[in-house]
Amino acid sequence: MGSTRPSMQELIGRRRRAGFVGRIDERAAFRRNLDLPPEDERHRFLFHVHGDAGVGKTFLVRELEQIAREAGALTAYVDEGAGSVPGAMTVLARRFASQGRRFKELERLLTAHRERRHEAEAALATGGPEDPEEPSAGSLAVARAAQVGLGMVPVAGAFAAALDTDRIAQGADRLRARFRSQEDAQLVLSPERVLTPVLLSELAGAAGTAPWVVLFLDTYERTGPFLGPWLHDIMTTDRHGTLPANVVVVTSGQHPFDIARWGGFADFMADLPLGPFTEAETRGLLADKGVRDEPVVAEVLRLTGGLPVLVSTLAETRPDDLDKVGDPTATAVDRFLKWERDPVRRAAALAGALPRRLDEDLFRSVVDGPADQVGALLAWLRGMPFVSERGGRLQYHDVVRAPMLRLQRLRSPQGWAERHTRLAEAYGRRRTEAEADLRTDGSWADGSWADEGWRELRLGESYHLLCARPRAAFPEALADVVAACAHGDDAVRPWVRLLVEAGEDADAEAVRNWGADLSGALTGDGLAGLLRLLLGRARGDEPWRATAWALLADALARDGAPERALEEYDHALALDPALVRAYRGRAVTRGGTGDHEGALADLDRVLELEPDNPWNVILRGEHHRLARHHDAAVADLSEGIRRAPTSEFAWASRGAAHERHGDLDTALADFDRALGLKPDYAWALARRARVWRGLGDQTRRLADLDRALALQPDWAWIRCERGDALRVNGRDAEALADYDRALELDPGYASAYASRGVSRSNLGRHEEALTDLDRALALHADYPWALEMRALVRQRSAERT
């Protein structure tokens, strides 16, 4: 009978794997946990590894992953390359697929998420609006917020701000109506809500095929801000479904776990704090690399203080002779490369530290040496323990990179500036090429700021310009911060971090302080706080001030402060009377407050300044429609359709204008065309239902409303519209359910109160009906139909008594 126990050689191999020495207690605790069933109270579902940079967190996490795989687990490793919750899910799906477990439905939705987001950004960058329709005051507020946030301002950046769903998800009727289906809207606006249940379902399937599923979330100090709340949600609530009991999560970062969030769940967590290696562990690692000479070992102990990344770096060079220790004030870089005697390699290691992330092309632009040796030097560098590879690019450990940068800056300021200039030029060439590609494929919008890849190249270029000449590059960097603000928190955050990093690396205190202050403002008060700080410190001659005022106005409008927003638009236009963004944003904000004439005046100016953008004339046509200028609305919308014949919004808006004017056949043709372009266009379906009402076809009216409500179940206006259709068909009891839901969604919806009052009266509940009608008139005193219905209900009530 064969034994399943590993051999002595296998066990020794495991202990020596990847040169891993030490962390015996941490590894043992994790291994024991996998021997305990989930039902055992000693079992822990969450491990958190934490400690300062350089203590070997990632090495330990990788070792724990190997231990998990040896126990038969399916594993997935995620680090800061993910960038978002959907990004993390993408990595998880990829990791499981590599082990033969495809998350097919999740992969499909992730692909759809990326496609829909790209489509939405590209479309909204030019300013296409949506209309949640009257008469709800709440809907008008939603329209204002969504229009400003959607790019009617217009740029994809305002839409990126809309993707920060903490701001705009409450009442995003207008935004949701742009998408083909409810799923498409949620995939862009609230992707976690759609994707998380699917991930949990996929994990449940995977958990049934393996004893354990272990998720490793590394560099948690960077991923925690977006993964932390989500992870807490899926592990401690069943809001999105249930997590299989045989799932274990390992997080790893510089900071201890958030007690405020996780403190109540300490009984299912294990805390693994890491410090420097003990002397025994350091000696063990050195011995494993063949470093046993006592003077050399003692010197390594002295120089490294047991910091694992430094111990590993020095051990990798396998020094066998101390020779001269050198000046005790020698820099940390000399210690890292102390026993590397090849000057070409030493210089290459220093040059490779200059970019934040390194690839072969960047390496060639800064390394000094024969061109035919670059590949070999990069291969050598890739094998150094302080270099890791992520996404095809190399990245130095912070503990090593920082002193290497300081050494080069201090040793040769001119050489430092020249090399960073060369790197900036390399990034600039890539950026230019990316711009050409974007123009070719039609994605060009707002100078490419809508494209995440382009922004990444611009970040690299700006970092190296700031390092080369901080004072000269800083004004342009601030202008880039403002430009990034147009694309939301996710876009501007890397620019703020860039200022901190460049200021630190170039020892430019002013740049570093600006970055820290902007970071604090963004964290505390969002984009509005950051923009106020920028404007408060502006000297008065910065060319970006007008744009910053307009962006601040956009943020205020999204946050439901239209009066203040209008003041800031005025500030922007006082600085730049030709700023299209400010006129368009002010127009949308004025329209949201009911000032359609003021909005139209602004849009006239927009068309003078930017006559070739078809969305401008479509937007003006829409505001003419809202102002009930029928002929002007039809003229503008027809011109918009001529210029942009695939604009489903223009067709639907013109259909709504014809319907209101009583031209029902023409309206029906326009709505049919809009729905031919976008079959799941909820707003067009609901508005076409009004045409069916006018034509007396109640069956088709209800069919369109049912379909629209299936697409947008949380749209108060459609709920009320369907309630009205049911009421007209004598189905008052069913209508009440729609009215109740409409008022839950929008408590200030006067029409829903009035309609519910009539249905309640039809059911003999006259006192409740009068309460509803009184509420409708309190919200909208000049409401003829509500006045008429209240008189009728009073008469019914009197007759009953």
Side-chain angles (χ1 to χ4, degrees):
M1 181 173 169
S3 172
T4 59
R5 287 184 176 178
S7 67
M8 179 183 296
Q9 289 82 358
E10 288 174 322
L11 291 172
I12 292 173
R14 290 179 189 175
R15 296 183 186 184
R16 293 175 57 86
R17 184 174 48 245
F20 193 92
V21 175
R23 308 309 185 197
I24 295 173
D25 293 340
E26 291 83 359
R27 290 184 289 160
F30 184 76
R31 190 178 284 112
R32 282 195 303 270
N33 196 65
L34 298 181
D35 291 334
L36 297 171
E39 297 80 8
D40 193 312
E41 291 186 356
R42 294 169 295 171
H43 179 79
R44 295 295 179 260
F45 298 97
L46 177 64
F47 285 75
H48 182 57
V49 179
H50 62 92
D52 294 333
V55 297
K57 298 184 295 296
T58 296
F59 282 158
L60 176 60
V61 166
R62 288 301 197 184
E63 176 67 7
L64 298 183
E65 184 176 24
Q66 187 61 37
I67 290 171
R69 290 201 175 187
E70 289 168 358
L74 288 169
T75 69
Y77 173 90
V78 178
D79 61 17
E80 78 274 14
S84 65
V85 173
M89 292 190 198
T90 300
V91 176
L92 291 174
R94 189 182 307 129
R95 302 293 190 195
F96 285 120
S98 70
Q99 297 164 72
R101 182 73 195 187
R102 289 283 302 279
F103 286 7
K104 294 182 180 179
E105 179 61 11
L106 180 62
E107 291 174 5
R108 181 189 72 78
L109 287 172
L110 285 165
T111 299
H113 162 69
R114 291 188 293 270
E115 291 174 352
R116 297 295 87 77
R117 177 164 180 158
H118 177 76
E119 290 169 5
E121 287 180 343
L124 296 176
T126 53
E130 290 295 351
D131 176 22
E133 183 55 349
E134 66 283 327
S136 167
S139 295
L140 287 175
V142 168
R144 177 179 64 247
Q147 283 175 332
V148 172
L150 276 178
M152 292 170 66
V153 179
V155 289
F159 178 71
L163 296 182
D164 181 1
T165 52
D166 288 342
R167 280 220 172 92
I168 200 165
Q170 299 176 358
D173 295 344
R174 241 185 130 133
L175 182 57
R176 294 190 183 98
R178 292 200 59 93
F179 300 98
R180 297 184 180 91
S181 66
Q182 173 72 359
E183 179 179 272
D184 281 353
Q186 292 297 324
L187 277 172
V188 175
L189 292 169
S190 305
E192 293 88 346
R193 188 180 303 174
V194 177
L195 297 171
T196 302
V198 178
L199 171 66
L200 296 181
S201 175
E202 301 273 25
L203 284 173
T209 66
W212 298 102
V213 175
V214 188
L215 311 180
F216 295 89
L217 308 179
D218 203 359
T219 57
Y220 203 68
E221 67 274 10
R222 296 188 178 180
T223 61
F226 58 85
L227 285 182
W230 174 77
L231 182 63
H232 183 272
D233 207 27
I234 65 172
M235 293 191 74
T236 65
T237 77
D238 58 2
R239 186 174 295 116
H240 303 289
T242 58
L243 196 63
N246 61 335
V247 171
V248 175
V249 178
V250 179
T251 56
S252 172
Q254 293 184 13
H255 311 299
F257 231 57
D258 183 0
I259 298 300
R261 175 175 287 135
W262 292 92
F265 301 92
D267 57 338
F268 74 78
M269 295 172 52
D271 193 51
L272 299 182
L274 298 187
F277 278 162
T278 65
E279 180 175 337
E281 288 173 328
T282 301
R283 287 179 176 275
L285 190 149
L286 291 171
D288 188 67
K289 295 296 184 181
V291 181
R292 297 181 174 86
D293 184 72
E294 183 56 31
V296 173
V297 171
E299 178 68 353
V300 171
L301 286 167
R302 184 182 74 83
L303 294 177
T304 66
L307 195 63
V309 69
L310 303 186
V311 175
S312 178
T313 298
L314 296 179
E316 194 66 30
T317 61
R318 295 174 172 81
D320 58 2
D321 183 23
L322 185 59
D323 287 332
K324 294 182 179 179
V325 174
D327 192 329
T329 62
T331 67
V333 176
D334 288 331
R335 296 171 184 177
F336 290 130
L337 302 174
K338 185 178 179 69
W339 290 284
E340 178 54 65
R341 294 172 181 169
D342 183 344
V344 175
R345 282 186 171 182
R346 289 175 65 91
L350 290 171
L354 293 172
R356 294 184 299 168
R357 293 174 183 82
L358 182 67
D359 59 36
E360 184 170 347
D361 293 335
L362 294 174
F363 190 57
R364 287 182 182 277
S365 70
V366 291
V367 70
D368 294 324
D372 58 356
Q373 293 184 18
V374 169
L377 287 171
L378 190 61
W380 165 78
L381 191 59
R382 182 177 280 108
M384 296 299 286
F386 54 78
V387 175
S388 61
E389 187 164 2
R390 298 176 184 176
R393 294 189 293 178
L394 304 183
Q395 186 171 338
Y396 280 48
H397 195 290
D398 291 343
V399 172
V400 177
R401 182 171 178 262
M404 286 187 171
L405 294 178
R406 287 196 300 272
L407 174 68
Q408 294 177 86
R409 190 184 70 245
L410 296 173
R411 177 183 289 172
S412 174
Q414 183 175 347
W416 163 272
E418 289 175 352
R419 285 183 170 178
H420 277 292
T421 299
R422 295 208 300 268
L423 286 165
E425 291 170 349
Y427 270 106
R429 287 191 295 271
R430 292 183 180 181
R431 176 179 56 80
T432 302
E433 293 168 0
E435 290 170 1
D437 291 340
L438 290 171
R439 288 191 180 97
T440 300
D441 69 14
S443 301
W444 180 265
D446 189 37
S448 279
W449 277 94
D451 185 78
E452 185 177 355
W454 182 92
R455 292 199 303 265
E456 183 65 27
L457 294 172
R458 181 60 179 161
L459 276 167
E461 182 181 12
S462 295
Y463 169 79
H464 291 294
L465 288 171
L466 283 166
C467 285
R469 294 176 179 81
R471 181 172 296 180
F474 183 60
E476 187 174 1
L478 275 187
D480 282 347
V481 170
V482 173
C485 285
H487 300 263
D489 291 15
D490 289 345
V492 78
R493 196 172 287 114
W495 285 94
V496 172
R497 188 164 58 242
L498 174 79
L499 294 179
V500 176
E501 292 179 7
E504 186 68 33
D505 295 343
D507 194 27
E509 184 177 4
V511 176
R512 181 172 57 243
N513 291 343
W514 261 98
D517 292 345
L518 290 172
S519 178
L522 183 63
T523 300
D525 298 308
L527 282 176
L530 181 145
L531 288 161
R532 287 192 191 96
L533 177 62
L534 278 167
L535 289 164
R537 292 188 180 179
R539 296 190 308 269
D541 58 348
E542 292 88 347
W544 45 260
R545 283 198 307 145
T547 298
W549 281 115
L551 289 169
L552 176 58
D554 295 346
L556 292 169
R558 284 194 301 271
D559 290 341
E563 294 80 8
R564 292 173 58 200
L566 291 172
E567 292 176 4
E568 309 309 356
Y569 286 125
D570 291 343
H571 276 122
L573 291 168
L575 290 170
D576 183 357
L579 186 60
V580 171
R581 165 188 291 280
Y583 282 112
R584 189 160 28 221
R586 191 171 70 176
V588 172
T589 304
R590 283 176 163 176
T593 64
D595 180 11
H596 297 298
E597 299 304 326
L600 288 166
D602 280 336
L603 290 169
D604 286 342
R605 181 65 173 143
V606 167
L607 278 162
E608 291 175 11
L609 295 167
E610 194 179 75
D612 295 331
N613 185 343
W615 281 113
N616 291 337
V617 69
I618 292 171
L619 179 58
R620 189 174 67 177
E622 168 67 358
H623 278 274
H624 275 304
R625 183 186 74 80
L626 292 171
R628 307 202 174 197
H629 301 159
H630 174 72
D631 292 341
V634 170
D636 272 350
L637 291 167
S638 297
E639 175 61 17
I641 288 169
R642 186 188 69 79
R643 297 191 198 180
T646 60
S647 170
E648 70 277 0
F649 175 78
W651 285 102
S653 182
R654 193 175 73 172
H658 285 309
E659 183 271 328
R660 176 177 283 159
H661 197 61
D663 190 352
L664 300 183
D665 290 335
T666 305
L668 185 61
D670 278 351
F671 283 126
D672 287 346
R673 184 63 180 273
L675 288 162
L677 291 165
K678 184 179 178 182
D680 293 332
Y681 192 172
W683 185 77
L685 285 165
R687 291 309 299 255
R688 188 173 69 175
R690 289 189 171 187
V691 177
W692 296 126
R693 178 188 65 186
L695 293 172
D697 192 333
Q698 297 298 331
T699 300
R700 287 182 174 175
R701 177 188 183 190
L702 268 172
D704 271 356
L705 289 168
D706 286 343
R707 187 176 168 194
L709 202 55
L711 294 167
Q712 303 287 345
D714 295 333
W715 195 343
W717 174 64
I718 296 180
R719 285 279 177 189
C720 192
E721 289 283 303
R722 190 175 72 167
D724 290 344
L726 292 168
R727 176 172 51 79
V728 168
N729 280 294
R731 296 161 64 180
D732 289 285
E734 295 173 67
L736 287 180
D738 276 338
Y739 295 139
D740 289 345
R741 181 58 181 152
L743 289 167
E744 287 177 14
L745 294 166
D746 185 357
Y749 199 164
S751 180
Y753 280 111
S755 294
R756 189 173 71 175
V758 174
S759 278
R760 281 177 164 174
S761 178
N762 291 342
L763 294 170
R765 296 157 59 178
H766 302 305
E767 293 303 318
E768 294 174 78
L770 287 172
T771 299
D772 275 345
L773 288 160
D774 287 343
R775 184 66 184 274
L777 288 163
L779 291 166
H780 185 7
D782 185 18
Y783 193 167
W785 187 75
L787 286 166
E788 179 184 344
M789 290 300 102
R790 186 170 67 175
L792 177 62
V793 172
R794 283 174 174 170
Q795 180 181 346
R796 287 178 179 175
S797 180
E799 291 173 352
R800 181 179 179 183
T801 59

